[in-house]
Amino acid sequence: MGSADSKLNFRKAVIQLTTKTQPVEATDDAFWDQFWADTATSVQDVFALVPAAEIRAVREESPSNLATLCYKAVEKLVQGAESGCHTEKERQIVLNCCRLLTRILPYIFEDPDWRGFFWSTVPGAGRGGGDEDDENARPLAESLLLAVTDLLFCPDFTVQSHRRSTVDTAEDIHSIDSCEYIWEAGVGFAHSPQPNYIHDLNRTELLKLLLTCFSEAMYLPPSSDSSNTNPWKFLFFVLKSSDVLDILVPILYFLNDARADQSRVGLMHIGVFILLLLSGERNFGVRLNKPYSVRVPMDIPVFTGTHADLLIIVFHKIITSGHQRLQPLFDCLLTIVVNVSPYLKSLSMVAANKLLHLLEAFSTTWFLFSAVQNHHLVFFLLEVFNNIIQYQFDGNSNLVYAVIRKRNVFHQLANLPTDSQSIQKGLQRKKKSPEPISRTNSQDGVSMEGSRPAAPAEPGTLKTSLVATPGIDKLTEKSQVSEDGTMRSLEPEASQLSPEGNPPAALSDGEPWSGEASHSRRDRRRLSSASSSGQWTPTPDWVMSWKSKLPLQTIMRLLQVLVPQVEKICIDKGLTDESEILKFLQHGTLVGLLPVPHPILIRKYQANSGTAMWFRTYMWGVIYLRNVDPPIWYDTDVKLFEIQRV
């Protein structure tokens, strides 16, 4: 049958369904088969030929027909999974049902009265087949999910078949050895199968249906109520078992690529939060020492080093050349670096320079005095340097050299002025650029081959509204690492117990960002005065309150010991060559000269109802915006977020 006839027949069936006021019997196969057996419609056709208004009309006017359509479509998927889809016709039926369900499900989720429909049982669909008691019957949703998972590993449909079987000797899908039918090499099977375009297309369609099944969360308004668990679900993938670096590189690639695009701010947050979660595991920090040789094309300086270098260089790029709305992420980015820093055996010169460039930018008086929480960024960076010097001094001559070269930055911090006049003067030094860190860095050098710069969002791009970013103190809890590597949680500070709920709001440029405060809000108000315009202004008391806590002792001791030695060598041997000085530093030691090592503090990602809600909004916002062909959720009554144009 030609494609045009096929579409016509399918459209006729849809019209019949919307115009029938009487329920059609489930046994009327001649009627129901029109939707999947006699047609070859693409997913785009299905979306065009089944308009939203008509789905809603059937839902309101003849609900039993919509229920039967869903039930019959799931039944066909179950049959396909059972039989193993050996004929072209069976595969076509499975794909048609898959497309139809992807189209209809959002309209079932959007109506509160229908939400329980897929969790109701269908007579005779018991877990063991046959007509046993109803309590043993399987909910429709369970049948659907099990069928889709089976179909994702169906020989000659979504995976490569290993035997040439004829229809008569078809393998029973339940008796096949699952190790043979795989998408990629892994445990138990060392070789990836040949790429197959058709299998990929079929997998994509089934995965889109799975994603649609999980999207019920989009139709519930944002609330921190964790009792609203999504019955469809997905268990969190156990990260410890996988090679974490295979996850890290693509995340860094996307973070770097999306940094200038405001419409992808959700992707940025999700990526950074995944890395924050990983950075709480010692294993992650240790594995970052693996040399980076993959060379994914990114517009970052060429360097030779480890995955840790890659992470630091990409974070530097995000901070110095991302858009303004990424500022709430700076605390998170630096917390990740702090968490992994005690395990980094040897930073490259490029990465070491990037860290010092950040410290230089964040410790300018203008930046420190211009917002109540900016000094936290300096504290995080000092913690990074302290961790590396205390725990990994031996392999880190590049970083030690960079610290010595930029020693003025540390001296300036130690001597930061605290009188009113200097504070005002510091504030007037504001650069012409909006950020002290948006200046270009001379060390950037050549970018990697094949890379392209991050592009801003095209005008008219859709974006979704976001719940305000939780502060780093809400996202993490402090754990102390003991000598045997185990972690114990530390008591939360009083300031972290303030009952602040963040109302949903679109993230704006001047996002309030409650960083890790060393004072309660009341103290902070006392230490800084509000000017007549209601704006916050820094006071000497406020500067003193945190300047006295800057952890500079370890670095000052290092400079005190090493600077005279390096200067002496340069004079004695007439050295001007960097490599010679580095060689000297490699053999240097500070054993017994540094203060007693502080315990390693890790800020672990902490799940709570606020962060879970935040994730849910972001993740489904990103998924909504990504799925435009076909536009699965477009024009449905989404409650979780608002859709806006950039």
Side-chain angles (χ1 to χ4, degrees):
M1 184 188 300
S3 166
D5 295 342
S6 205
K7 283 187 203 173
L8 197 63
N9 287 0
F10 180 75
R11 181 69 191 130
K12 274 185 194 157
V14 175
I15 293 170
Q16 281 180 316
L17 184 70
T18 49
T19 49
K20 277 188 195 293
T21 44
Q22 294 305 308
V24 183
E25 286 299 319
T27 48
D28 184 356
D29 284 338
F31 175 75
W32 297 113
D33 281 353
Q34 301 177 91
F35 288 96
W36 38 74
D38 321 321
T39 60
T41 41
S42 71
V43 68
Q44 286 78 10
D45 293 339
V46 170
F47 271 69
L49 299 171
V50 189
E54 291 180 18
I55 304 175
R56 288 188 179 117
V58 177
R59 189 181 71 193
E60 306 308 320
E61 318 288 313
S62 42
S64 70
N65 285 346
L66 183 61
T68 308
L69 181 68
C70 291
Y71 160 60
K72 295 293 283 185
V74 173
E75 185 184 58
K76 288 291 171 196
L77 290 181
V78 172
Q79 287 169 3
E82 292 288 324
S83 72
C85 283
H86 292 292
T87 64
E88 196 48 54
K89 186 173 170 74
E90 278 179 295
R91 287 175 207 148
Q92 196 55 59
I93 288 175
V94 162
L95 288 173
N96 287 336
C97 291
C98 179
R99 290 160 187 165
L100 197 57
L101 286 167
T102 304
R103 179 62 172 142
I104 292 169
L105 274 166
Y107 297 91
I108 285 183
F109 296 150
E110 120 188 315
D111 185 333
D113 297 336
W114 274 82
R115 262 179 222 138
F117 168 70
F118 269 86
W119 297 98
S120 56
T121 51
V122 176
R127 287 196 163 89
D131 290 314
E132 67 263 56
D133 295 343
D134 254 11
E135 67 199 54
N136 203 22
R138 177 174 276 158
L140 196 56
E142 195 181 326
S143 304
L144 171 58
L145 292 176
L146 289 170
V148 172
T149 9
D150 277 345
L151 287 165
L152 283 167
F153 296 91
C154 183
D156 282 329
F157 180 51
T158 48
V159 288
Q160 207 176 332
S161 177
H162 290 276
R163 327 183 180 145
R164 298 277 23 103
S165 51
T166 62
V167 178
D168 311 330
T169 62
E171 304 157 62
D172 175 10
I173 197 155
H174 295 294
S175 65
I176 63 178
D177 177 7
S178 60
C179 272
E180 293 179 45
Y181 296 102
I182 52 167
W183 291 14
E184 285 296 334
V187 178
F189 222 75
H191 303 291
S192 290
Q194 288 291 313
N196 183 312
Y197 179 63
I198 301 295
H199 290 177
D200 282 347
L201 288 178
N202 296 342
R203 290 170 186 174
T204 307
E205 299 227 28
L206 288 161
L207 289 173
K208 282 215 159 121
L209 173 55
L210 260 191
L211 204 51
T212 311
C213 288
F214 302 146
S215 70
E216 191 175 324
M218 280 198 207
Y219 299 94
L220 302 168
S223 74
S224 298
D225 182 11
S226 47
S227 62
N228 276 339
T229 50
N230 181 347
W232 294 90
K233 263 14 208 180
F234 238 4
L235 279 181
F236 192 70
F237 179 61
V238 186
L239 285 158
K240 286 181 186 174
S241 64
S242 68
D243 189 349
V244 104
L245 301 179
D246 291 345
I247 299 169
L248 172 73
V249 176
I251 290 177
L252 290 177
Y253 173 81
F254 284 117
L255 288 181
N256 186 54
D257 191 53
R259 69 180 191 275
D261 182 347
Q262 293 212 20
S263 68
R264 289 197 283 168
V265 73
L267 180 72
M268 297 292 294
H269 279 74
I270 288 278
V272 170
F273 283 177
I274 293 171
L275 295 182
L276 180 62
L277 179 73
L278 293 174
S279 74
E281 305 296 330
R282 178 180 178 274
N283 209 7
F284 178 67
V286 172
R287 288 195 177 168
L288 286 177
N289 292 305
K290 187 178 172 187
Y292 174 67
S293 50
V294 196
R295 299 284 170 242
V296 176
M298 290 191 228
D299 61 327
I300 54 170
V302 177
F303 70 97
T304 304
T306 65
H307 284 75
D309 294 308
L310 177 70
L311 178 126
I312 287 167
I313 291 165
V314 169
F315 282 10
H316 174 271
K317 197 88 177 180
I318 294 167
I319 291 171
T320 55
S321 64
H323 57 80
Q324 284 262 294
R325 287 177 61 203
L326 295 181
Q327 279 208 358
L329 283 179
F330 289 2
D331 284 47
C332 269
L333 291 168
L334 293 188
T335 298
I336 293 165
V337 181
V338 172
N339 282 351
V340 301
S341 59
Y343 310 110
L344 305 183
K345 290 191 176 356
S346 149
L347 287 183
S348 70
M349 190 59 92
V350 177
N353 284 335
K354 297 297 180 203
L355 285 175
L356 277 135
H357 176 243
L358 288 180
L359 182 72
E360 223 178 337
F362 289 146
S363 58
T364 59
T365 48
W366 173 75
F367 186 74
L368 284 173
F369 298 156
S370 62
V372 71
Q373 72 291 343
N374 281 357
H375 62 277
H376 298 153
L377 300 172
V378 169
F379 274 78
F380 285 138
L381 284 165
L382 291 176
E383 213 175 315
V384 170
F385 297 136
N386 287 341
N387 280 341
I388 294 179
I389 292 165
Q390 292 277 22
Y391 292 100
Q392 300 289 350
F393 178 82
D394 286 353
N396 272 297
S397 51
N398 286 331
L399 183 74
V400 173
Y401 178 67
V403 167
I404 291 174
R405 271 188 55 218
K406 294 280 185 185
R407 54 190 178 278
N408 277 351
V409 180
F410 299 98
H411 291 304
Q412 279 161 7
L413 267 176
N415 299 313
L416 192 72
T418 54
D419 58 289
S420 303
Q421 204 184 349
S422 303
I423 292 174
Q424 285 315 309
K425 212 159 102 186
L427 282 172
Q428 281 151 15
R429 280 204 195 131
K430 179 172 179 179
K431 305 278 178 290
K432 290 200 170 65
S433 56
E435 269 294 340
I437 42 181
S438 58
R439 59 188 180 201
T440 51
N441 180 11
S442 57
Q443 303 151 340
D444 260 16
V446 194
S447 281
M448 292 189 166
E449 229 175 299
S451 66
R452 54 193 177 83
E458 295 283 318
T461 313
L462 288 178
K463 70 182 174 89
T464 50
S465 63
L466 318 161
V467 179
T469 318
I472 194 75
D473 52 340
K474 300 281 183 295
L475 279 172
T476 56
E477 69 175 6
K478 287 184 176 176
S479 300
Q480 193 169 314
V481 183
S482 54
E483 286 182 10
D484 60 357
T486 55
M487 291 192 193
R488 65 182 183 88
S489 180
L490 296 176
E491 289 298 303
E493 294 161 17
S495 66
Q496 295 176 339
L497 299 174
S498 58
E500 288 173 68
N502 279 337
L507 267 183
S508 63
D509 287 353
E511 190 54 58
W513 177 242
S514 55
E516 194 156 34
S518 47
H519 310 281
S520 67
R521 304 232 142 172
R522 194 178 61 248
D523 289 351
R524 224 190 293 165
R525 272 202 294 276
R526 188 173 54 75
L527 292 169
S528 53
S529 61
S531 62
S532 53
S533 65
Q535 275 192 318
W536 171 85
T537 52
T539 63
D541 279 356
W542 172 77
V543 178
M544 278 304 296
S545 72
W546 54 261
K547 180 191 167 181
S548 59
K549 298 195 177 90
L550 284 169
L552 286 165
Q553 305 82 331
T554 302
I555 294 168
M556 287 310 190
R557 187 79 187 110
L558 172 138
L559 292 173
Q560 203 183 340
V561 175
L562 290 180
V563 170
Q565 294 184 9
V566 170
E567 284 177 341
K568 187 173 184 318
I569 291 182
C570 292
I571 294 163
D572 290 357
K573 299 193 177 168
L575 289 184
T576 47
D577 184 16
E578 211 170 75
S579 58
E580 291 295 323
I581 300 170
L582 282 169
K583 210 173 286 175
F584 163 73
L585 289 173
Q586 267 162 11
H587 302 300
T589 178
L590 291 177
V591 175
L593 296 172
L594 291 178
V596 178
H598 53 283
I600 296 176
L601 272 186
I602 300 288
R603 292 172 185 83
K604 293 191 74 144
Y605 169 75
Q606 176 192 16
N608 56 43
S609 58
T611 53
M613 184 58 240
W614 195 93
F615 261 117
R616 203 174 306 140
T617 317
Y618 256 137
M619 193 167 71
W620 286 109
V622 172
I623 292 170
Y624 177 98
L625 294 173
R626 285 301 177 87
N627 284 274
V628 287
D629 184 24
I632 301 178
W633 300 280
Y634 195 68
D635 274 349
T636 60
D637 188 13
V638 171
K639 296 270 196 307
L640 189 60
F641 44 74
E642 293 167 13
I643 292 97
Q644 306 151 343
R645 284 193 182 274
V646 172

